[in-house]
Amino acid sequence: MRVPLSWLAEYVELVPGTTPEDVHAALVKVGLEEEDVHTFELSGPIVVGEVLEFVEEPQSNGKTIRWCQVRVAPEGGTAADGGEAVHGIVCGARNFFVGDKVVVTLPGAVLPGPFPIAARKTYGHVSDGMIASARELGLGDDHEGILRLSTLGIDAPVGTDAIKLLGLDDAAVEINVTPDRGYAFSIRGVAREYAHATGARFRDPVDQVAATDAAADGFPVEIRDEAPIRGRVGSSVFATRIVRGVDPSRPTPPWMVARLKLAGIRSLSLLVDITNYVMLELGQPIHGYDLDALRGGLVVRRAAPGETLTTLDGKQRPLHPEDLVVTDDRGPIGLGGVMGGAETEMSDATRNVLIEAANWDPVSIARTARRHKLPSEAAKRYERGVDPEIPSAAVSRVAQLMVDLAGGTADDGGSLVRELAERGAISLPTGYVSRLIGIDYTDAEVHDALAEIGGAITETPDGFDVVPPSWRPDLTGKAELAEEVARLVGYHRIPSVLPVAPPGRGLTRSQRLRRRVADTLAAAGSTEVLSFPFATEWENGTFGSADGSPVASVRLANALDASTPLLRRSLLPGLIAAAKRNRSRGLTDVSIFELGLVFLPETGRAYGTSELPPGDAKPSDDELATLQRSIPPQPRHVGALIVGDAVPKQPGQPAVPAGIVDALDLVRQVALATGADIEIVQGSHQALHPGRTAELRVAGRSVGVAGELLPTLAEASDLPRVVAVVELDLDAIVELTDPALEAGQVGTFPAATQDLSLVVDAAVPAATVAAAVRDGAGALLEDLRLVDDYRGSGVPEGSKSLTFALRFRAPDRTLTAAEASEAKLAGAAVAAERTGAAIRE
């Protein structure tokens, strides 16, 4: 919210000389965060000038300029820049006439940009200044010609300071408004907060407007909400007022243009500017209808199936049955609380205006704004809550301005539909605020703070009964009232104490291992990423099921993106999307990983609970157990993806493309980080390449998969055909790994090395043969590595020759060659027994 200081000063006393920084500092005290300071970023001398004469001079480039004589000071006087009263100025615009009053920026002035003004030679003349347009002054986007003051209804003396005349000397403070404090989206709300912070006197702008009561012959309005959301009627208050005989061609006063500009609102036309001005002033969004374009009365209802509406932005929008619409006899003419319709908008031909101010259900407005992707200024306020007591005052304020500025005449009465329930009192026990906040507050301090925010307070034997003010829908319980007391009495009363960590505690084993895995993968050259935990049905079905069988997914009640309405069952879709995004930006070699939760609901089981424990007390063990049973299993996985070159091309070294070998290397890194013994066996997965897929096991239990994506899936994601991936259930690995790790003994006697070549059926996995050799060789075998997989001449068709490098060592002596050979042959014998392997001759 941007708040011009001159506007703020109308409703709260500002000490002379108050700066934007002073206002920010005061508002921070009551919890409104500072964002920025906005000014018109110009400086003088900028004055009112009068065009005395001009000569049009065609140029060789086809352009015609005007050599103007402009009076910038009273006759016989001295200009603000110290020069003569009449300046010669070159101007390219042609929309002004002799005798026009214009804005002249004299040498030494600076316009937004910054754009310094100086006397300079151009088109054969020395131009001693510049005649400014509205856009050059920062007042708007109009750059078709220079700004003629007569179009703004201004006839000021020559030499008058144009900065002050046009309100360009004002400044605005910008604050961040949190969702629970929608009242601060108004000058009224911010002025009240400034008064809380400084003790300055607050003048409520609503009290300065005479609200109009409903008249018997007022404009007909009916609220007909037959399908309220959560039992709340879509519109609880609807006020109207009619102003006749307005002149929409009149200019918006410069003070209003300047304030709207500083507040971040573009000036459009006088009638529209007035409605925006009152919205910013009171926080009540306003909509104006061309009364002559309406057919019959207004009815507020939910949209019917198949209805459409062309909104003010020119887009035709199909309506949803939850959408609240304002209708007349022809059908929808406005999207209630969000945006009006094009058929009844105020235009240059409008002469009679129906002014509307309503109070809409925040949930309905929030859903409609998101559904139609229309984050309008009105919706932003309604979805946070607008004071339901001010619509009548708001339409009266708009009518007053239309009468004063547009020359209209307001009808005596208006219409008002009000179906607003009275707010109940909140019981605030004695001492509750002190117990919750942790410091002592007297009863007087509590009473005065709540009275200051506008609460109606009744003393009771147990404390206070407090009815919150109408502009504070966020105050729904005693905890919120306690927060208000702490805020207004002052956060400085709450001491800053650094808590002392209890001794003997630290990270759990699971937390330590998770951090160790992340550190290890990062040290191995991978980059950690964080992706959204949302997925499509296809992604969960493809990556969340190894064999393609149907799987259950958790569906979000209110998804951020309708295309990803489910919680993920796998990390791989997010990693694939991240790789695609990085490659599209020129990063061809990508190695990334992620640690995150996946969501694995059981098929046929319902999750969730309709009863939540209260937020002001610690849940019991039974309540926590119930909540835990209401959520699906959420194991923590680690996933990784490698695409491109694992080793880049360099002098003397060709590029080495990444593949399944690199994925398995990352698996080994995870195993080293966790102390797990991860077994790699031949596996299958519907999303991975057949024959290039490994199942990963710990203690006989499957904990993950590694391999290469199906080329068709990779190409569908705009990735190369070879994409190596791995996903492991990190929680399962931690659970299955013995926490007591023992370092192996370092051998001091020489090792004996031998090779063993075995011929085996090509379908037998090398890991199976290696396991058999390891079991048969016994305790003397220290290390075994596969060094060759040969298939060619000399080996029977359908078979392969596997060569293993064996290293033997005894802990108490130097092995002889015979002992090493005996252990090797024992391993070969077990391999022959289990797999049919034969020693290659």
Side-chain angles (χ1 to χ4, degrees):
M1 175 68 186
R2 297 183 180 184
V3 183
L5 297 192
S6 66
W7 204 350
L8 182 67
E10 290 187 6
Y11 303 118
V12 67
E13 294 178 352
L14 296 184
V15 176
T18 299
T19 66
E21 291 73 20
D22 295 334
V23 174
H24 264 153
L27 295 176
V28 165
K29 292 180 181 178
V30 288
L32 294 174
E33 299 176 9
E34 62 178 283
E35 288 288 335
D36 204 351
V37 173
H38 300 272
T39 65
F40 285 99
E41 299 179 348
L42 46 72
S43 60
I46 302 176
V47 300
V48 174
E50 180 182 0
V51 179
L52 300 178
E53 63 176 356
F54 59 79
V55 177
E56 294 190 345
E57 299 180 354
Q59 303 298 311
S60 59
N61 60 5
K63 183 178 181 180
T64 298
I65 60 98
R66 287 180 173 182
W67 171 238
C68 309
Q69 300 300 310
V70 184
R71 183 178 297 281
V72 294
E75 188 172 357
T78 302
D81 64 342
E84 297 180 357
V86 177
H87 282 217
I89 298 175
V90 173
C91 185
R94 306 181 64 183
N95 68 319
F96 60 95
F97 309 94
V98 172
D100 274 344
K101 297 286 183 68
V102 294
V103 177
V104 180
T105 57
L106 299 175
V110 178
L111 294 179
F115 180 50
I117 303 299
R120 63 188 183 95
K121 186 172 183 180
T122 179
Y123 294 108
H125 301 281
V126 175
S127 184
D128 202 14
M130 186 180 78
I131 307 175
S133 69
R135 190 172 74 176
E136 289 164 340
L137 294 171
L139 279 174
D141 298 327
D142 185 9
H143 196 54
E144 296 300 319
I146 60 97
L147 176 63
R148 300 168 59 215
L149 294 179
S150 60
T151 63
L152 300 179
I154 296 175
D155 185 17
V158 170
T160 300
D161 183 356
I163 293 179
K164 186 173 182 179
L165 177 70
L166 298 176
L168 303 181
D169 56 346
D170 202 357
V173 295
E174 183 177 359
I175 58 173
N176 177 40
V177 179
T178 54
D180 61 330
R181 302 176 72 179
Y183 66 91
F185 272 121
S186 67
I187 303 298
R188 179 193 187 209
V190 176
R192 181 181 284 109
E193 289 299 305
Y194 185 83
H196 294 334
T198 63
R201 187 167 66 89
F202 168 66
R203 299 177 293 275
D204 194 340
V206 172
D207 295 340
Q208 302 175 33
V209 179
T212 303
D213 295 329
D217 58 348
F219 194 84
V221 175
E222 180 183 358
I223 297 176
R224 193 190 303 159
D225 186 1
E226 298 175 352
I229 296 177
R230 300 179 182 176
R232 297 183 61 174
V233 176
S235 180
S236 56
V237 182
F238 200 100
T240 67
R241 189 83 185 272
I242 294 174
V243 179
R244 304 181 189 274
V246 298
D247 181 1
S249 65
R250 289 192 180 185
T252 301
W255 58 266
M256 182 177 285
V257 174
R259 286 182 175 180
L260 289 174
K261 175 70 175 179
L262 281 176
I265 302 291
R266 182 166 57 96
S267 176
L268 297 174
S269 66
L270 175 59
L271 299 181
V272 174
D273 289 349
I274 288 173
T275 61
N276 285 333
Y277 186 85
V278 174
M279 176 187 69
L280 293 172
E281 184 174 68
L282 302 182
Q284 170 66 61
I286 305 291
H287 185 66
Y289 301 89
D290 187 327
L291 180 63
D292 299 323
L294 293 174
R295 300 178 187 174
L298 299 182
V299 176
V300 177
R301 60 171 173 83
R302 301 284 173 177
E307 284 187 319
T308 61
L309 171 68
T310 301
T311 46
L312 290 174
D313 56 2
K315 295 182 180 179
Q316 187 178 47
R317 302 178 183 276
L319 300 177
H320 188 276
E322 279 191 357
D323 290 337
L324 281 167
V325 291
V326 180
T327 67
D328 64 2
D329 290 349
R330 86 194 83 186
I333 58 172
L335 202 54
V338 178
M339 185 173 284
E343 287 186 290
T344 58
E345 71 174 314
M346 296 182 296
S347 66
D348 294 341
T350 298
R351 292 296 177 268
N352 303 308
V353 178
L354 176 69
I355 309 163
E356 168 222 305
N359 191 268
W360 304 91
D361 173 45
V363 174
S364 294
I365 300 307
R367 290 185 180 182
T368 296
R370 285 158 179 73
R371 186 181 300 119
H372 294 282
K373 297 180 172 59
L374 271 176
S376 65
E377 289 291 326
K380 182 168 65 175
R381 286 164 172 80
Y382 281 128
E383 65 187 14
R384 288 166 170 81
V386 172
D387 187 350
E389 299 291 350
I390 65 170
S392 292
V395 294
S396 295
R397 173 65 167 151
V398 174
Q400 176 192 29
L401 289 173
M402 286 188 177
V403 169
D404 294 344
L405 303 179
T409 302
D411 284 6
D412 291 336
S415 59
L416 175 65
V417 178
R418 191 177 190 276
E419 300 178 1
L420 189 64
E422 297 296 328
R423 294 191 72 173
I426 301 171
S427 178
L428 186 64
T430 301
Y432 174 80
V433 176
S434 297
R435 291 194 301 272
L436 185 65
I437 305 301
I439 60 175
D440 292 331
Y441 294 100
T442 65
D443 289 345
E445 286 178 320
V446 173
H447 180 281
D448 292 348
L450 296 178
E452 189 175 349
I453 66 171
I457 306 170
T458 303
E459 291 192 27
T460 67
D462 299 325
F464 301 109
D465 282 346
V466 183
V467 178
S470 58
W471 56 86
R472 294 298 302 272
D474 57 305
L475 301 181
T476 58
K478 57 185 179 181
E480 288 79 10
L481 295 179
E483 181 183 354
E484 287 300 293
V485 173
R487 186 173 71 89
L488 294 188
V489 173
Y491 291 130
H492 65 279
R493 287 274 297 275
I494 304 175
S496 298
V497 179
L498 185 66
V500 178
R505 301 209 180 169
L507 298 177
T508 65
R509 174 173 176 267
S510 178
Q511 291 170 331
R512 289 198 306 273
L513 292 181
R514 288 204 301 264
R515 294 192 180 190
R516 192 179 300 164
V517 167
D519 291 343
T520 299
L521 293 178
S526 289
T527 300
E528 185 172 10
V529 298
L530 293 174
S531 59
F532 285 117
F534 312 123
T536 65
E537 291 189 13
W538 178 86
E539 289 171 341
N540 273 359
T542 301
F543 294 95
S545 173
D547 57 4
S549 59
V551 292
S553 296
V554 178
R555 184 172 295 275
L556 297 166
N558 187 21
L560 290 176
D561 186 345
S563 64
T564 54
L566 308 178
L567 290 176
R568 65 188 177 192
R569 291 184 61 94
S570 170
L571 300 180
L572 296 183
L575 291 170
I576 292 171
K580 175 182 178 179
R581 189 178 306 111
N582 279 274
R583 285 186 63 86
S584 70
R585 286 157 175 75
L587 302 175
T588 56
D589 303 329
V590 177
S591 177
I592 54 179
F593 74 94
E594 179 177 6
L595 275 76
L597 299 178
V598 297
F599 305 85
L600 308 178
E602 299 175 9
T603 302
R605 178 178 170 184
Y607 292 93
T609 179
S610 59
E611 296 183 5
L612 295 176
D616 59 351
K618 180 180 179 181
S620 66
D621 292 342
D622 289 342
E623 288 174 326
L624 290 175
T626 301
L627 290 175
Q628 193 65 36
R629 288 192 298 270
S630 70
I631 60 176
Q634 301 177 37
R636 190 176 300 274
H637 281 200
V638 56
L641 179 147
I642 311 172
V643 64
D645 291 336
V647 178
K649 181 180 179 182
Q650 51 194 299
Q653 169 66 57
V656 179
I660 186 174
V661 172
D662 301 284
L664 294 178
D665 280 344
L666 292 182
V667 172
R668 297 184 183 98
Q669 293 294 334
V670 173
L672 288 172
T674 59
D677 183 8
I678 300 181
E679 181 184 4
I680 301 173
V681 300
Q682 185 72 39
S684 64
H685 193 288
Q686 63 171 341
L688 302 184
H689 195 299
R692 293 182 177 272
T693 304
E695 181 184 357
L696 309 172
R697 298 176 181 172
V698 174
R701 174 176 159 185
S702 179
V703 296
V705 66
E708 297 176 4
L709 279 183
L710 284 172
T712 53
L713 292 182
E715 291 176 350
S717 298
D718 299 323
L719 296 175
R721 290 177 59 85
V722 179
V723 179
V725 295
V726 58
E727 183 166 7
L728 289 161
D729 185 340
L730 193 54
D731 284 351
I733 292 175
V734 173
E735 176 190 345
L736 297 170
T737 302
D738 188 350
L741 298 179
E742 295 183 4
Q745 185 177 2
V746 178
T748 58
F749 290 91
T753 59
Q754 295 197 13
D755 288 343
L756 173 63
S757 295
L758 297 174
V759 178
V760 68
D761 189 277
V764 178
T768 303
V769 179
V773 173
R774 185 177 288 107
D775 290 344
L780 293 179
L781 180 62
E782 184 178 76
D783 184 58
L784 176 150
R785 288 186 301 109
L786 177 68
V787 295
D788 189 33
D789 182 339
Y790 174 74
R791 311 176 194 209
S793 62
V795 174
E797 187 175 351
S799 299
K800 59 185 177 182
S801 173
L802 302 175
T803 301
F804 298 94
L806 311 178
R807 185 172 72 237
F808 299 95
R809 193 191 308 269
D812 56 352
R813 67 189 188 281
T814 299
L815 287 178
T816 64
E819 288 177 310
S821 296
E822 182 181 354
K824 178 183 73 173
L825 294 175
V830 173
E833 179 183 346
R834 294 183 184 177
T835 67
I839 296 177
R840 183 179 178 187
E841 300 295 338

